[in-house]
């Protein structure tokens, strides 16, 4: 589930912290990298559990209305479709989610304000009203409700994203990526799978895990060699004026190109140029693109880079 885009971001962040902290921080940085990736995967389960928690909160709210001293007719006979959602009931019994949540202590117990905010957003939406008024009483309609909620109400909601980043510093750059995997997971749910419905694994395969670890290790191990190449192509620039983040991005890009022949060069270049747009200065993407393009041409001419 943790794709290579997110892996590159986490390695970049870990290297930056490592260089800022010095040699001692670099010795423990690999564990920090793996912890950061684990926290990203935690967010995936937090989102899935949020679906269940929001539903339970609405169920408790309805029950409290029934037991008021003077309940209204609507409170006595509420529309229970939302809380009886079959997809949510299936998710709530999911063996993988319950096991992971128990093992890693994942819970919304201490963040009920956030759960309430999400519930209020849903209850005031046209998506919710259309669902409650629909004649389509099917599992597919129940599942589609939550896919639509995540796609249109939660994903891209800057207010909710800011709250999530306050809950965990590890989620600062994860939210949008993980939301896409939650939407994909909802779409994959099959009623016949019951509690055994498979969720996404932390890594798609062993190769992605090895990519994360090896990219980090090799960037540190080959730092001097890679820097020599970069310095040759930035000799017309004052080295002190080259942003630290720009240097790390170029180190990572060049290390990846030299050591992972299965990844096309243009894929590597595009990923790190995009990272520069987000993590460095406004002019960094153009600068990095120019330097790396020059380096690639040199290494191809010297037959050091043989891939396209």
């Amino acid at each position: 589930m943790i794709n290579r885009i997110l892996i590159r971001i986490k390695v970049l962040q870990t290297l930056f912290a490592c260089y800022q902290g010095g040699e001692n921080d670099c010795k423990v940085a690999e564990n920090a990298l793996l912890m950061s990736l684990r926290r990203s995967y935690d967010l995936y389960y937090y989102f899935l559990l949020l679906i269940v928690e929001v539903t339970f909160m609405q169920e408790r709210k309805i029950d409290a209305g029934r037991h008021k001293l003077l309940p209204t007719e609507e409170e006595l006979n509420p529309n229970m479709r939302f809380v009886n959602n079959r997809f949510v009931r299936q998710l709530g019994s999911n063996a993988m989610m319950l096991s992971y949540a128990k093992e890693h202590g994942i819970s919304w117990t201490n963040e009920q304000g956030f759960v309430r905010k999400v519930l209020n957003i849903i209850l005031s939406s046209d998506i919710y009203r259309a669902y409650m008024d629909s004649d389509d009483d099917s599992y597919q309609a129940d599942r589609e409700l939550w896919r639509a909620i995540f796609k249109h109400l939660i994903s891209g909601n800057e207010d909710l994203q800011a709250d999530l980043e306050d809950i965990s510093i590890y989620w600062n750059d994860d939210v949008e990526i993980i939301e896409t995997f939650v939407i994909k997971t909802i779409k994959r749910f099959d009623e016949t799978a019951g509690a055994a419905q498979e969720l996404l694994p932390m890594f798609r395969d062993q190769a992605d895990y090895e990519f994360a670890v090896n990219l980090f290790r090799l960037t540190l191990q080959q730092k001097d060699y890679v820097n020599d190449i970069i310095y040759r192509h930035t000799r017309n620039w004052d080295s002190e004026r080259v942003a630290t983040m720009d240097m790390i991005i170029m180190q990572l890009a060049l290390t990846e190109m030299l050591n992972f022949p299965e990844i096309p060069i243009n894929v590597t270049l595009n990923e790190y140029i995009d990272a520069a747009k987000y993590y460095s200065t406004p002019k960094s993407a153009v600068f990095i693109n120019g330097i790396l393009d020059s380096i690639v041409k040199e290494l191809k001419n010297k037959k050091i880079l043989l891939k396209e």
Side-chain angles (χ1 to χ4, degrees):
M1 186 213 74
I2 295 178
N3 61 16
R4 295 200 174 188
I5 295 173
L6 186 54
I7 288 171
R8 291 182 180 98
I9 291 171
K10 293 299 185 182
V11 173
L12 174 62
Q13 293 171 336
T14 305
L15 281 171
F16 183 80
C18 169
Y19 290 162
Q20 295 295 101
E23 183 179 348
N24 288 335
D25 280 2
C26 288
K27 291 179 180 178
V28 299
E30 186 175 316
N31 288 334
L33 169 64
L34 295 175
M35 174 61 74
S36 181
L37 291 167
R38 168 62 69 183
R39 295 302 187 196
S40 296
Y41 192 49
D42 286 352
L43 178 58
Y44 171 67
Y45 279 95
Y46 268 103
F47 272 138
L48 293 176
L49 198 61
L50 179 64
I51 295 172
V52 178
E53 190 63 33
V54 164
T55 303
F56 284 170
M57 178 174 282
Q58 177 65 358
E59 189 171 16
R60 293 192 296 270
K61 181 179 175 182
I62 289 173
D63 188 59
R66 282 176 173 155
H67 291 87
K68 285 171 58 177
L69 182 60
L70 296 172
T72 64
E73 179 63 27
E74 183 178 354
E75 288 171 330
L76 285 172
N77 298 284
N79 185 338
M80 299 294 288
R81 185 173 186 188
F82 181 77
V83 300
N84 289 333
N85 184 290
R86 283 158 287 203
F87 161 72
V88 177
R89 297 299 178 185
Q90 180 187 7
L91 177 61
S93 66
N94 183 269
M96 284 182 67
M97 186 183 75
L98 294 176
S99 175
Y100 190 94
K102 181 178 180 180
E103 180 180 356
H104 297 278
I106 291 176
S107 168
W108 287 102
T109 301
N110 297 325
E111 302 295 341
Q112 290 296 291
F114 179 81
V115 177
R116 188 174 298 105
K117 178 183 286 190
V118 173
L119 176 59
N120 289 337
I121 289 172
I122 294 169
L123 296 181
S124 63
S125 71
D126 291 338
I127 292 172
Y128 172 79
R129 285 189 287 271
Y131 169 76
M132 297 298 280
D133 294 338
S134 174
D135 294 329
D136 184 0
D137 184 19
S138 65
Y139 173 85
Q140 288 73 22
D142 287 353
R143 184 185 60 199
E144 177 60 24
L145 168 71
W146 276 100
R147 192 190 70 83
I149 286 172
F150 255 90
K151 186 174 182 179
H152 300 293
L153 302 180
I154 296 177
S155 182
N157 186 310
E158 294 181 359
D159 188 27
L160 294 180
Q161 184 168 333
D163 287 344
L164 287 167
E165 291 172 359
D166 287 340
I167 292 171
S168 174
I169 60 172
Y170 289 100
W171 298 342
N172 288 355
D173 302 291
D174 301 357
V175 176
E176 291 183 9
I177 295 175
I178 302 302
E179 283 169 344
T180 65
F181 288 114
V182 174
I183 293 169
K184 181 184 294 186
T185 298
I186 294 171
K187 188 176 181 180
R188 289 176 53 181
F189 256 65
D190 182 345
E191 186 175 18
T192 63
Q197 173 71 48
E198 289 190 4
L199 303 179
L200 297 178
M202 181 172 174
F203 292 100
R204 180 185 59 181
D205 52 32
Q206 183 66 17
D208 277 357
Y209 169 80
E210 292 173 357
F211 173 73
V213 173
N214 291 333
L215 179 61
F216 177 77
R217 289 177 180 173
L218 289 168
T219 303
L220 287 176
Q221 292 169 7
Q222 299 176 8
K223 179 181 175 183
D224 291 341
Y225 171 69
V226 167
N227 279 351
D228 284 343
I229 297 174
I230 295 172
Y231 290 147
R232 285 205 311 273
H233 290 264
T234 57
R235 58 180 176 270
N236 294 326
W237 293 77
D238 182 347
S239 60
E240 293 184 359
R241 295 182 63 187
V242 178
T244 300
M245 184 60 78
D246 290 0
M247 281 298 300
I248 299 173
I249 290 171
M250 288 188 288
Q251 286 172 8
L252 274 169
L254 190 48
T255 301
E256 184 172 314
M257 286 188 285
L258 289 168
N259 295 279
F260 298 90
E262 73 280 6
I263 303 175
I265 289 174
N266 67 308
V267 171
T268 299
L269 290 174
N270 289 339
E271 291 294 343
Y272 289 106
I273 290 168
D274 283 346
K277 293 175 184 177
Y278 188 82
Y279 290 100
S280 198
T281 67
K283 297 180 179 180
S284 290
V286 175
F287 169 70
I288 289 172
N289 185 42
I291 298 300
L292 290 178
D293 185 61
S294 176
I295 291 173
V296 167
K297 289 177 181 177
E298 175 193 304
L299 296 182
K300 282 185 175 180
N301 287 336
K302 292 182 176 180
K303 307 299 183 184
I304 296 174
L305 277 181
L306 300 177
K307 61 179 180 175
E308 293 297 327

